[in-house]
Amino acid sequence: MLQWAFITSFCLAVALQPLPPVRWITGSASINGFTLDGRPKTIYLDAAFENIADIEGLTLIPPTAGEFVEIFRQDLSALSGNDWNVEIVEQLPTVGIRLGRFRGKDSELTYENSVVTEEGYELHVTNDSLYIGGTGARGMFWGTRTLLQELLIANGSALPPGRVVDAPAYSTRGFMLDAGRKWYDKEFLKELCTYVSFFKMSEFHYHSSDNYPLNRGHNETWQDVFSHFSLYPEANTELQGIIQRPNETLSRADFEDFQSHCAQRGVTVIPEIEAPGHALAITKWKPELALTKKDLLNLSHPDAIPTVKAIWSEFLPWFQTKEVHIGADEYDSELADDYINFVNEMADFINTTSGKRTRIWGTYEPSDNLTISKEIIVQHWQYGQSDPIELQDSGYDLINSEDWWAYMSLKNDHMPILPAPYPQFYNLTRTMNFANIPGRQWDPSMYNPVNTSLQLGDDASGNRGAVLAAWNDNGPDATTQLEAYYAMREGIPVMAARAWAGARGMNIDMKDLSESIAVLASKAPGQNLDRRLPGSLSSTQHSPLLSWMRNSSAIANLSLGKGSYGPPYTLTLNVSSAFTLSGPDTSLSLAPIPHNTTQDSTHSLIFTTADGFPYPLRSVSIIDGLDPGHPGRIWTNQSTSLHQPVAITLPAMLRIETDVVNGTRVWMNGDFKGRFEVFVFGGRNTLFSWSQMALVAPLEAVEGGLDSLVLEAGIGLRTSYQGGDGLAEPLGESGAGRLVGLDVQLYIVLIGLVLWSLSA
């Protein structure tokens, strides 16, 4: 029997849906369908299709069908608990899992603008037989994603007979991660690619350089403002002047590995190097190139454009893609001619040097004399900066990243900056009820959330698709690497589904969306971004996941070997003296408070992340940070929380509870003590706050005076957040449940009562 124990029990009672949803043409009721039970664990691939690789996609390293099948084999083995093998055959057998070419005409499968696509596929289930055929290698691979999702949903039962013929409405179905204001290591980036691939996303927009806003923070000079460039120059060593933290960069080998890993899963990395705005990494190195606003390049300086070209000359050979992004947003509109000349010159330079096409952010730069080349792709992000209909009518290719639906500001929104306060988690409500119209599901043709009549046509020739965006506007210490994943976890499958479907495809069924995400997101093969322990069934099981007690004769340093565990969880620790509990993502330490003149047993409790940021336990009121409109945020003008480091008196029993919204909170000997948090400068230095940190439990090694440990899945109160509309929502494993119709003040009172009862 197959080992389908990884499916949570509630799946049996709920009709789930794959994401993107598919339209089944039901087969004969007299046929039993297909099950993995009782058959040879062999995947058959048509030899005539083995070496086929796509030519129309954006990657310059397109996998062959044979390489895609190897990824499928690994995933099927992981999900089923059995070792599968691949057999290349000249003639496919009549039974089993069989892969090859789409058996209809390729012209039957097009994008919504009628262009034929290599991403189309068929999935045909008959009695003891399953066939996946692609119009290209990627199409076949996307068909395997549908199959794996259907197997997860079936939970070991037979797939019913029937046929799916499916193709995406848009070629660009992507997400952007701001790696210019927060460091992300290569393994995390690869896991993200694996995750998004499961939902048929096609692009990873990697924003490699940026800086903290100059109008935020208590910085003595502009040279103290955080800036980052995440790629390490190797050939032109002079360019290493733009690097301030060499240990937080990717080498060429790292970046090639990252791109290859993504390409093997159907995802193309689109790298961005930002200029002439957001360019503080460059102007710190060469201050003479700055305008008065120091993160803007002075394009009239004779060395400005040659410097940017030198940077691109270093990195263009790294980029295995047909398109790259040069940023080019939020420059000085009074210098429009300089800006337009720069954009056009850089696009021409990049194309002449490497044959690649250029993308930019849509930016308002009015000129009476010049226009941006029609060869440049414009990524629209805000009205007032660009107009999608005008771009389409003028002959530009464009991408929908309209900030109203697409943007997140990780950890805190932009309040009080208008017009668009960005939610800290992807806003599912704005996707599922576009323009605040109940049931109107967004798709990439929908740009305008105010005047809904001003949208592009479903078949607009220039509309490439859509990219959601996760911005680190609050700086490198405001989130952990995994908190970026938490912010996008539910948005990625939902946005990917709507970008795949467009206007013609299947809508998402809202009634089982929460449960579908709970199963599919947590079980996407090849990654463990939720940081679950091997063999743990779910994040809601009641028995302890891990119990450990120190043997009196045990040595001081011990290996637990369990890595990390992610929220929601409860971690109970019995502590007699200073200790360190370490893991790959975080460490938790209890150390004597420095300069303790009383020589008593008071200690401080500190979480430290893998990228080196320490977060001491700080005192907060148990009722603070529970504003559903700004989850986890405690405004500095509140008087109930002191935010001072908490003194831990030993011996102690510590209970640490973590969920994504409320962060990591601590009780000592039954009394609530506070949380781990970060100070965040508000928009334009007018609104300051403290915000929660959601930190994973470190479970790899123990050092010092930790006497026992118990890890349990879930916490007493679990909440999630659906993105900035003032609604807090109950969290199952996915956090996609919905709480509606509850008065906000009553909700806050209820939270306070529950937390008070937990501390009693």
Side-chain angles (χ1 to χ4, degrees):
M1 292 294 292
L2 293 176
Q3 300 174 17
W4 293 100
F6 49 79
I7 304 295
T8 50
S9 60
F10 62 77
C11 300
L12 302 176
V14 181
L16 305 183
Q17 61 186 315
L19 295 168
V22 295
R23 183 177 287 110
W24 280 92
I25 302 170
T26 305
S28 171
S30 63
I31 297 176
N32 294 327
F34 181 84
T35 179
L36 297 179
D37 283 336
R39 66 176 64 261
K41 302 302 180 281
T42 301
I43 301 165
Y44 300 99
L45 174 62
D46 187 343
F49 202 61
E50 177 188 10
N51 295 314
I52 295 295
D54 290 359
I55 59 174
E56 300 297 335
L58 292 183
T59 182
L60 294 174
I61 46 174
T64 64
E67 291 173 303
F68 275 133
V69 170
E70 171 56 22
I71 300 298
F72 173 51
R73 183 199 67 77
Q74 295 172 19
D75 293 344
L76 185 59
S77 298
L79 290 187
S80 68
N82 293 283
D83 292 329
W84 286 72
N85 63 82
V86 175
E87 189 173 328
I88 312 299
V89 295
E90 297 295 331
Q91 182 163 347
L92 292 171
T94 58
V95 296
I97 298 178
R98 303 165 301 141
L99 290 85
R101 183 178 293 279
F102 176 60
R103 295 177 297 191
K105 295 181 179 179
D106 288 357
S107 58
E108 297 176 33
L109 296 177
T110 67
Y111 296 119
E112 207 150 73
N113 62 8
S114 300
V115 174
V116 175
T117 172
E118 295 168 317
E119 297 189 83
Y121 70 92
E122 64 174 314
L123 170 58
H124 194 190
V125 179
T126 57
N127 200 24
D128 296 326
S129 173
L130 188 150
Y131 182 79
I132 299 173
T135 53
R138 276 180 302 158
M140 181 203 69
F141 181 70
W142 298 141
T144 68
R145 306 302 91 181
T146 299
L147 172 60
L148 291 173
Q149 290 192 26
E150 293 287 5
L151 289 171
L152 281 166
I153 290 168
N155 196 24
S157 300
L159 299 181
R163 185 169 183 251
V164 172
V165 178
D166 196 16
Y170 296 89
S171 60
T172 295
R173 309 176 303 279
F175 76 106
M176 188 223 75
L177 181 64
D178 178 2
R181 286 177 281 206
K182 169 70 184 177
W183 165 243
Y184 296 96
D185 68 48
K186 181 183 71 171
E187 294 308 313
F188 174 79
L189 299 174
K190 289 163 65 175
E191 279 195 278
L192 266 182
C193 265
T194 300
Y195 179 75
V196 305
S197 168
F198 193 55
F199 303 102
K200 305 190 180 84
M201 270 196 170
S202 61
E203 294 183 11
F204 185 160
H205 177 169
Y206 182 74
H207 185 82
S208 72
S209 63
D210 212 320
N211 53 266
Y212 195 69
L214 289 174
N215 55 14
R216 291 204 210 171
H218 295 158
N219 300 292
E220 293 183 2
T221 73
W222 60 273
Q223 290 175 319
D224 297 326
V225 174
F226 180 89
S227 63
H228 187 53
F229 199 97
S230 61
L231 306 176
Y232 191 80
E234 296 176 356
N236 185 348
T237 56
E238 181 187 2
L239 294 175
Q240 292 171 11
I242 60 179
I243 303 298
Q244 295 187 359
R245 288 165 303 283
N247 62 323
E248 294 185 357
T249 57
L250 299 175
S251 67
R252 180 170 184 172
D254 290 334
F255 200 78
E256 295 276 16
D257 181 42
F258 164 42
Q259 292 176 103
S260 176
H261 178 92
C262 294
Q264 292 289 314
R265 288 151 182 82
V267 179
T268 301
V269 176
I270 306 295
E272 177 185 356
I273 298 175
E274 179 78 80
H278 299 263
L280 199 59
I282 298 174
T283 59
K284 282 183 183 179
W285 171 42
K286 292 190 173 185
E288 69 275 13
L289 300 185
L291 290 172
T292 302
K293 189 174 184 297
K294 295 299 185 178
D295 60 350
L296 302 184
L297 289 175
N298 179 1
L299 295 175
S300 65
H301 192 287
D303 197 32
I305 293 178
T307 296
V308 178
K309 286 182 178 179
I311 293 170
W312 277 99
S313 294
E314 169 76 18
F315 294 112
L316 277 171
W318 296 27
F319 299 154
Q320 301 293 345
T321 172
K322 299 175 185 176
E323 294 177 5
V324 294
H325 204 300
I326 65 169
D329 67 318
E330 297 186 304
Y331 194 62
D332 188 338
S333 60
E334 295 183 1
L335 301 174
D337 286 0
D338 289 344
Y339 169 86
I340 294 170
N341 276 325
F342 167 82
V343 168
N344 288 341
E345 185 171 347
M346 287 305 306
D348 182 68
F349 171 78
I350 288 169
N351 184 260
T352 301
T353 302
S354 65
K356 303 182 192 301
R357 198 174 173 192
T358 293
R359 297 182 182 182
I360 64 170
W361 296 101
T363 302
Y364 177 67
E365 297 290 343
S367 173
D368 295 329
N369 307 308
L370 302 172
T371 58
I372 290 172
S373 167
K374 300 298 196 313
E375 293 301 311
I376 294 170
I377 302 157
V378 179
Q379 189 165 344
H380 166 86
W381 68 278
Q382 189 179 86
Y383 284 90
Q385 300 293 330
S386 60
D387 183 282
I389 293 177
E390 182 179 313
L391 290 171
Q392 166 72 21
D393 291 346
S394 298
Y396 288 97
D397 283 353
L398 67 157
I399 293 168
N400 186 347
S401 289
E402 165 62 30
D403 61 357
W404 186 84
W405 72 265
Y407 272 28
M408 290 158 280
S409 178
L410 299 183
K411 190 51 60 73
N412 273 348
D413 60 27
H414 272 197
M415 290 297 290
I417 294 178
L418 298 175
Y422 301 141
Q424 68 189 69
F425 299 91
Y426 183 84
N427 193 315
L428 294 188
T429 301
R430 294 182 183 180
T431 302
M432 301 306 296
N433 305 290
F434 182 74
N436 298 318
I437 300 173
R440 181 171 184 174
Q441 296 189 16
W442 167 89
D443 69 59
S445 71
M446 298 180 186
Y447 285 76
N448 196 320
V450 178
N451 188 337
T452 56
S453 65
L454 298 179
Q455 313 294 356
L456 294 188
D458 301 333
D459 59 350
S461 59
N463 197 14
R464 300 275 297 272
V467 173
L468 65 83
W471 294 101
N472 281 296
D473 293 332
N474 296 301
D477 64 339
T479 62
T480 68
Q481 296 189 45
L482 286 169
E483 281 183 306
Y485 161 69
Y486 305 153
M488 297 184 286
R489 182 183 187 270
E490 298 172 12
I492 281 169
V494 170
M495 179 270 180
R498 295 304 306 139
W500 178 281
R504 71 186 183 190
M506 292 280 289
N507 275 358
I508 295 170
D509 188 343
M510 275 299 298
K511 69 178 181 294
D512 64 19
L513 177 60
S514 299
E515 291 81 4
S516 297
I517 294 177
V519 170
L520 299 177
S522 61
K523 306 305 176 186
Q527 58 80 41
N528 186 23
L529 289 167
D530 282 334
R531 298 298 192 257
R532 296 291 175 249
L533 303 182
S536 62
L537 298 181
S538 75
S539 64
T540 56
Q541 66 185 49
H542 299 293
S543 60
L545 295 170
L546 177 65
S547 296
W548 170 84
M549 181 175 293
R550 183 183 296 277
N551 186 303
S552 60
S553 62
I555 59 175
N557 301 338
L558 295 170
S559 173
L560 298 177
K562 299 297 184 181
S564 300
Y565 191 84
Y569 68 82
T570 298
L571 182 65
T572 303
L573 308 174
N574 277 305
V575 183
S576 58
S577 62
F579 74 89
T580 297
L581 183 61
S582 59
D585 300 294
T586 59
S587 65
L588 178 63
S589 298
L590 188 72
I593 296 176
H595 312 299
N596 180 6
T597 57
T598 63
Q599 299 300 311
D600 61 17
S601 56
T602 54
H603 291 64
S604 58
L605 189 63
I606 300 174
F607 257 108
T608 304
T609 58
D611 44 5
F613 292 108
Y615 302 93
L617 176 64
R618 294 182 180 274
S619 59
V620 301
S621 167
I622 196 168
I623 63 172
D624 277 353
L626 302 176
D627 177 358
H630 303 278
R633 196 166 188 174
I634 300 177
W635 308 103
T636 55
N637 61 358
Q638 289 182 335
S639 60
T640 53
S641 292
L642 298 176
H643 306 285
Q644 296 299 314
V646 173
I648 303 295
T649 302
L650 299 179
M653 186 192 78
L654 303 177
R655 187 172 85 249
I656 301 171
E657 296 190 355
T658 299
D659 69 78
V660 169
V661 174
N662 294 306
T664 302
R665 300 159 68 88
V666 177
W667 283 255
M668 182 175 71
N669 301 326
D671 295 327
F672 180 73
K673 288 298 179 182
R675 66 178 189 172
F676 301 93
E677 57 185 9
V678 62
F679 185 79
V680 176
F681 293 95
R684 300 195 176 101
N685 267 1
T686 60
L687 204 57
F688 308 126
S689 61
W690 290 87
S691 288
Q692 80 292 352
M693 298 299 300
L695 299 152
V696 301
L699 300 171
E700 188 63 26
V702 176
E703 177 182 350
L706 181 59
D707 299 327
S708 68
L709 172 156
V710 176
L711 173 71
E712 298 170 281
I715 63 172
L717 174 70
R718 292 190 296 275
T719 59
S720 183
Y721 177 62
Q722 296 292 12
D725 289 339
L727 292 176
E729 304 177 6
L731 173 68
E733 183 161 353
S734 72
R738 179 159 297 279
L739 180 64
V740 294
L742 182 63
D743 180 82
V744 169
Q745 291 181 341
L746 175 60
Y747 173 70
I748 294 173
V749 170
L750 289 175
I751 289 180
L753 288 173
V754 173
L755 291 175
W756 175 82
S757 67
L758 287 174
S759 67

